[in-house]
Amino acid sequence: GESVGLHLPTLSVQEGDNSIINCAYSNSASDYFIWYKQESGKGPQFIIDIRSNMDKRQGQRVTVLLNKTVKHLSLQIAATQPGDSAVYFCAENMDTGNQFYFGTGTSLTVIP
Amino acid sequence: ETGVTQTPRHLVMGMTNKKSLKCEQHLGHNAMYWYKQSAKKPLELMFVYSLEERVENNSVPSRFSPECPNSSHLFLHLHTLQPEDSALYLCASSLSGVVHLDEQYFGPGTRLTVT
């Protein structure tokens, strides 16, 4: 079955530094990926998505990289701010399936 | 605010109780979802409704019973739950029920504790 996992459960970074959160997926047929941010007491919030025909996609202060060869996804946050402290998790979907498979999440703590 | 509201935000119930969770979306979406989020586990999809019709049921025990009376409201009826059902229950909506086309907007969740 599908498996989405994260390399590190927790990550601490200094304010202003860049953050990199990683995600490994096991299903090579997955073709759509989303990164979510979940703050305490809130539901997950969409950050950025990427389709398998792309290697990189940039948003505002965030970049998602997709390496299909090793089935690896990463989220880069530039100039990390205290408001970025949250749990981040990735989700994968196959075009033939109507649901996402989610990772367990990485807790990001930004140190002022 | 995401446009998806859930009530109650917290619920404590005994194993013999019957309760309902409510979700309402103000986004004009046609699809709604129930997810379960347990500590240190991935988010689990429970049910998907598209245009008020259930299109996905991920082998959820019958003690969880969803209801979608219209495209703006979604309920999760609970009865004879077990302590392992304690979790955060999240509702989401999207424009259509095709997950790889539309972004899902999540509500804040209901924190359920079964005693």
Side-chain angles (χ1 to χ4, degrees), chain A residues 50-58 63-69 72-74:
Chain A
I50 189 168
R51 299 193 183 274
S52 58
N53 60 352
M54 303 173 69
D55 297 323
K56 178 180 179 179
R57 189 155 189 238
Q58 287 184 293
T63 301
V64 55
L65 299 177
L66 176 61
N67 186 329
K68 295 180 287 292
T69 303
H72 183 267
L73 192 69
S74 70

Side-chain angles (χ1 to χ4, degrees), chain A residues 4 31-32 34 36 38 41-47 49 51 87 89 93-105, chain B residues 2 9 33 35 37 40-45 48 55-56 58 88 90 97-109:
Chain A
V4 181
D31 63 352
Y32 180 48
I34 294 181
Y36 285 94
Q38 187 172 18
K42 296 184 179 180
Q45 179 185 2
F46 174 97
I47 301 174
D49 61 355
R51 299 193 183 274
V87 173
F89 52 90
N93 170 255
M94 291 187 295
D95 188 31
T96 55
N98 202 37
Q99 65 175 286
F100 279 100
Y101 295 89
F102 293 83
T104 51
Chain B
T2 63
R9 293 295 308 277
Y33 310 76
Y35 286 90
Q37 188 174 39
K40 298 183 180 179
K41 285 188 178 179
L43 209 59
E44 302 171 57
L45 179 66
V48 181
V55 297
E56 198 84 34
N58 270 11
L88 182 69
L90 290 159
V98 185
V99 294
H100 59 277
L101 293 181
D102 297 316
E103 177 182 343
Q104 292 183 27
Y105 293 78
F106 285 84

